[in-house]
Amino acid sequence: MKPVCLVIGAGAGIGGHVGKRFAREGYHSVLCRRSDEQGLDRLVKEIEANDGSASGHLLDATQPNTIEDCVAAVEKDVGQIEVAVFNLGAQIGNRILENTSYKAFELGWRLATFGLFRLASSVGPLMVERGNGTILVTSATAAVRGNAGQHSHAAAMGGRRMLCQTLNAELAPKGVHVAHILIDGAVDAPDTLGKMLGAERFQKLREERGLEQDGLLLPEKVAETYLHVAQQHRSAWTHELDLRAFSDLPWWNH
Ligand SMILES: NC(=O)c1ccc[n+]([C@@H]2O[C@H](COP(=O)([O-])OP(=O)(O)OC[C@H]3O[C@@H](n4cnc5c(N)ncnc54)[C@H](OP(=O)(O)O)[C@@H]3O)[C@@H](O)[C@H]2O)c1
């Protein structure tokens, strides 16, 4: 049975490419997203066409028991989850305080922070029992810097970063590697940034900064880092790292 890489939040950007990269490395990738069954099938078929192994699950990570049931079903029917990737974001664009409803604020936390807690609560004990495993958490600039209009997003991502540190403090000595991977810039990700900006603005951004200019983070390149971190020897684990395009100023310089 192949080791499993479980990706919570697998669109055509980072999540999907991480799934593809781990499948190329011999893992069975379990790809989970909320909607777009066709997109999910495309990803699974692409992996299989390259002699990889993958399966897809539609789940809404904000709903009770979805993450927990998925972890249990994968462990029972597919294989041991060696790598769990938490890739859900909570960006809703800039909203001033009076336009940030309690509901929007709470949803950010539910997606970005509580979702990770639920994944860690489900898979962490299994990894501890086995004495190994890796939890990779995709993060964003908002985890380290609050900004105008980012009330919900920054609070949720900042909480998530602290949760990663507390998980690391408890799980690392038991053999479980937890890494917080801060994505400090815009990603060439059609299912998230693309939808938030709309097709036209997204294409304009790609033409102005992305494509051959490499000014948008390319998800397939980001995925190489995820694999590297998951393969690190336990004598030299990374807990936190950041990634950005060469042409972007780091978050602390602007
Ligand atoms: N994109 C950027 O510019 C950017 C910048 C900085 C940081 N990040 C971080 O990167 C991560 C996302 O990676 P990505 O942008 O490349 O996106 P991606 O991997 O292409 O897609 C993420 C997927 O998450 C799924 N998702 C959203 N809500 C969900 C829910 N409630 N339940 C289950 N799945 C859900 C979406 O599925 P559906 O499409 O089916 O709804 C989406 O396709 C986030 O952690 C974000 O904070 C992204």
Side-chain angles (χ1 to χ4, degrees), residues 114-251:
F114 189 46
L116 172 60
F117 184 71
R118 288 170 54 198
L119 177 65
S121 299
S122 307
V123 84
L126 302 171
M127 290 177 170
V128 166
E129 204 180 299
R130 301 196 273 261
N132 66 66
T134 304
I135 301 176
L136 302 175
V137 181
T138 310
S139 185
T141 315
V144 284
R145 188 186 65 192
N147 219 330
Q150 289 284 298
H151 308 288
S152 162
H153 187 220
M157 298 306 270
R160 164 141 130 193
R161 179 170 183 242
M162 291 302 104
L163 176 57
C164 285
Q165 291 184 10
T166 61
L167 288 170
N168 178 66
E170 185 168 322
L171 301 182
K174 298 176 179 165
V176 180
H177 186 182
V178 180
H180 180 254
I181 304 177
L182 203 160
I183 306 295
D184 187 22
V187 182
D188 192 355
D191 288 333
T192 51
L193 187 61
K195 284 185 182 156
M196 203 174 80
L197 295 179
E200 210 172 299
R201 279 179 65 203
F202 183 56
Q203 188 53 26
K204 191 160 175 270
L205 177 73
R206 296 182 84 222
E207 282 161 15
E208 283 173 3
R209 285 175 48 193
L211 305 173
E212 68 282 354
Q213 296 158 100
D214 295 333
L216 297 180
L217 284 127
L218 295 176
E220 62 267 35
K221 303 299 176 194
V222 171
E224 296 294 338
T225 295
Y226 282 61
L227 182 67
H228 168 73
V229 172
Q231 290 178 334
Q232 286 176 330
H233 188 262
R234 65 180 180 172
S235 68
W237 273 351
T238 294
H239 172 66
E240 184 164 71
L241 62 93
D242 55 21
L243 297 174
R244 71 188 63 78
F246 75 105
S247 49
D248 267 351
L249 278 180
W251 64 267

Side-chain angles (χ1 to χ4, degrees), residues 4-123:
V4 171
C5 169
L6 171 68
V7 183
I8 304 292
I14 296 173
H17 279 91
V18 168
K20 284 195 249 184
R21 188 64 190 91
F22 277 81
R24 253 205 288 148
E25 210 58 31
Y27 288 79
H28 176 95
S29 289
V30 178
L31 306 164
C32 306
R33 67 185 294 176
R34 181 179 38 191
S35 58
D36 194 358
E37 198 159 10
Q38 284 182 345
L40 204 51
D41 286 350
R42 246 194 327 270
L43 209 50
V44 169
K45 290 211 172 76
E46 191 184 330
I47 289 173
E48 288 172 347
N50 288 300
D51 298 325
S53 165
S55 45
H57 286 265
L58 284 182
L59 62 81
D60 184 346
T62 62
Q63 295 305 306
N65 299 323
T66 48
I67 296 176
E68 296 79 353
D69 290 351
C70 176
V71 167
V74 169
E75 285 276 332
K76 181 169 164 284
D77 301 328
V78 186
Q80 292 187 352
I81 300 169
E82 278 194 10
V83 179
V85 180
F86 191 75
N87 190 56
L88 298 181
Q91 178 64 279
I92 50 171
N94 287 337
R95 292 191 194 180
I96 60 170
L97 188 55
E98 66 198 68
N99 291 345
T100 306
S101 64
Y102 284 4
K103 196 173 165 200
F105 187 89
E106 193 194 303
L107 183 62
W109 169 81
R110 202 166 280 290
L111 268 169
T113 318
F114 189 46
L116 172 60
F117 184 71
R118 288 170 54 198
L119 177 65
S121 299
S122 307
V123 84

